[in-house]
Amino acid sequence: MDRLTNIARQFAASREVTELRAFGSGNINDTFLVTTADVTEPHFVLQRINTHVFQQPALVMQNMRIFTEHMHEKLQSETAPAGRRWVVPRVLLTIDKCDHWIEPDGSYWRAISFIDGSQTLDIIQDIQHGWEVGYALGRFHHLISDLDPDKLADTLEGFHITPQYLEYYHQILPTHTRELNREVDYCLQFVRERQEWARVLEDAKTSGKLPLRPIHGDPKVNNVMICTTTQQAIGAIDLDTVKPGLVHYDIGDCLRSGCNPLGEETKEWERVHFDTQMCRAILDGYLSQARGFLGADDYDYLFDAMRLIAFELGLRFFTDYLAENIYFKVKYPTHNLDRALVQFKLTESIEAQELAIRSMIEELRG
């Protein structure tokens, strides 16, 4: 704790650090909430960036400064939706005016402002919450839609490129020593039956149907900040993954995360299903902000996006399970297997409702 307090002091300027505690439920970075004696801005968020995942943390911080500054400028230049506010986290500098702090052991730390009067929720609570989650993603995309993606570094090369995850899976497959059982056999067959289809979004990108745009990269439900007073979405967090990509990666990930009533960590994987009513609410909220920059081809690939990203995350969890849990944090030995089963079952449910989902998309596109 003394070590963490000393690190927090690097970003606290003249403020006295009074408390420090673990914060959030992220799977990648180590995150802490720092409390100071400053009554004006008593809290900030301290994070150790996982340099195994983000191997170029300086570029992560460069991206964050570029797009947060762009969003701040755009917010000042346009009229906000009536009765709503949007908060963009600020990158806090060290005493030496750097956007990071490196420990002698190489640990890479950064600090960002805390959004007060807000909360994050792991599971969507109701239809209105779902609409707000969709609104948040649409608002985020709108604010960076005119940012040249070439200005952002690709800090996670291969991220959301499903064919590359399949290549890695096939490298791991013959070397794993996991015991075969009903659940593992289910996953093996599930991947085998869908691997040829998994290029759908990458093929659309290559053919020019889907353009590269700045994306969030990880827009799951608990990365949307909800105002505790109004219950409205007021911001998006966990911004390490912002990079050039397809907005479909984000839309698919948001719907995968938001339309599973049992949540991502349930052990009742056989009961997992995709909630189309919630899907409608999220898409409606998203399109309230995103219609201005989406084209006809974007709508045509929305169903493929929600199906593919659920499959992709299941593939990544299953591969990590076979590889002895080297990427995602786990709480018990079969944690990643259980996570994979949830995502594969969700994919099955999306596939079973394809006609209804495609019809919904057509209605909402207007």
Side-chain angles (χ1 to χ4, degrees):
M1 187 58 66
D2 288 342
R3 168 174 162 262
L4 290 174
T5 300
N6 181 60
I7 296 167
R9 288 186 182 127
Q10 307 305 316
F11 298 93
S14 60
R15 294 174 290 176
E16 178 189 355
V17 175
T18 60
E19 184 182 2
L20 194 150
R21 61 181 175 85
F23 186 63
S25 56
N27 289 331
I28 305 299
N29 296 324
D30 296 320
T31 305
F32 303 89
L33 181 65
V34 180
T35 303
T36 73
D38 185 352
V39 295
T40 304
E41 193 172 6
H43 306 293
F44 66 87
V45 176
L46 180 69
Q47 287 187 315
R48 175 167 53 189
I49 297 179
N50 185 330
T51 52
H52 175 74
V53 177
F54 300 103
Q55 297 181 7
Q56 296 178 294
L59 292 182
V60 171
M61 297 308 301
Q62 174 183 295
N63 277 0
M64 185 173 291
R65 295 182 74 168
I66 289 172
F67 72 77
T68 55
E69 289 171 7
H70 180 88
M71 294 173 80
H72 278 294
E73 291 175 4
K74 190 160 185 175
L75 285 169
Q76 293 173 358
S77 66
E78 68 176 28
T79 303
R84 304 193 68 108
R85 70 184 178 109
W86 187 262
V87 182
V88 180
R90 292 178 291 106
V91 175
L92 304 184
L93 302 182
T94 66
I95 299 170
D96 297 326
K97 305 301 180 184
C98 294
D99 59 18
H100 64 275
W101 172 263
I102 302 177
E103 286 190 278
D105 67 359
S107 296
Y108 199 103
W109 293 84
R110 58 99 181 277
I112 57 177
S113 59
F114 176 71
I115 302 176
D116 203 8
S118 64
Q119 62 180 337
T120 60
L121 301 165
D122 289 331
I123 300 175
I124 289 183
Q125 305 300 297
D126 52 34
I127 291 296
Q128 184 57 37
H129 182 201
W131 193 95
E132 292 293 333
V133 168
Y135 170 90
L137 180 59
R139 185 70 174 150
F140 186 89
H141 281 171
H142 163 72
L143 290 171
I144 58 175
S145 61
D146 58 347
L147 172 62
D148 183 352
D150 288 339
K151 292 184 177 180
L152 298 176
D154 190 346
T155 53
L156 285 173
E157 292 187 11
F159 187 54
H160 279 319
I161 310 300
T162 312
Q164 292 189 22
Y165 292 124
L166 274 169
E167 288 180 14
Y168 179 55
Y169 167 76
H170 284 297
Q171 292 174 17
I172 295 297
L173 194 58
T175 66
H176 83 89
T177 57
R178 294 293 193 181
E179 179 183 357
L180 296 180
N181 54 34
R182 183 176 73 96
E183 289 79 11
V184 171
D185 286 343
Y186 169 84
C187 291
L188 291 170
Q189 181 176 351
F190 197 89
V191 175
R192 187 164 52 245
E193 292 174 349
R194 289 160 180 81
Q195 57 187 352
E196 295 303 320
W197 157 81
R199 296 193 55 86
V200 58
L201 292 187
E202 287 306 298
D203 286 346
K205 181 177 70 176
T206 301
S207 67
K209 292 181 179 180
L210 299 179
L212 281 178
R213 298 182 175 103
I215 63 170
H216 182 284
D218 190 21
K220 55 184 182 288
V221 172
N222 59 10
N223 283 336
V224 173
M225 301 298 293
I226 300 293
C227 177
T228 54
T229 301
T230 66
Q231 303 306 309
Q232 293 178 340
I234 59 171
I237 58 171
D238 208 354
L239 305 175
D240 294 324
T241 49
V242 172
K243 53 169 278 182
L246 300 180
V247 295
H248 292 69
Y249 301 152
D250 276 357
I251 298 167
D253 204 12
C254 181
L255 292 167
R256 172 204 63 76
S257 169
C259 299
N260 173 7
L262 295 183
E264 300 183 14
E265 296 294 320
T266 180
K267 293 186 179 182
E268 299 180 88
W269 65 273
E270 292 179 296
R271 294 181 54 237
V272 169
H273 68 280
F274 185 81
D275 185 339
T276 55
Q277 185 179 11
M278 188 62 72
C279 177
R280 176 183 288 273
I282 294 173
L283 276 179
D284 189 39
Y286 178 78
L287 293 174
S288 74
Q289 297 296 298
R291 281 191 176 90
F293 63 83
L294 291 181
D297 286 333
D298 289 316
Y299 287 97
D300 291 342
Y301 283 91
L302 287 179
F303 172 79
D304 295 304
M306 58 186 82
R307 179 190 178 198
L308 180 68
I309 300 304
F311 168 75
E312 176 190 288
L313 185 58
L315 173 67
R316 293 175 63 199
F317 282 140
F318 184 50
T319 304
D320 204 35
Y321 170 72
L322 296 179
E324 307 289 343
N325 305 318
I326 61 175
Y327 184 90
F328 296 103
K329 294 178 181 178
V330 295
K331 297 179 180 178
Y332 53 92
T334 61
H335 196 172
N336 274 326
L337 176 61
D338 291 344
R339 288 165 166 164
L341 291 165
V342 168
Q343 297 305 318
F344 287 159
K345 198 66 179 179
L346 190 66
T347 307
E348 275 190 357
S349 182
I350 293 170
E351 293 169 343
Q353 301 178 85
E354 178 175 357
L355 291 179
I357 295 171
R358 288 191 182 276
S359 176
M360 176 200 308
I361 293 169
E362 287 302 309
E363 290 177 28
L364 291 173
R365 72 189 290 180

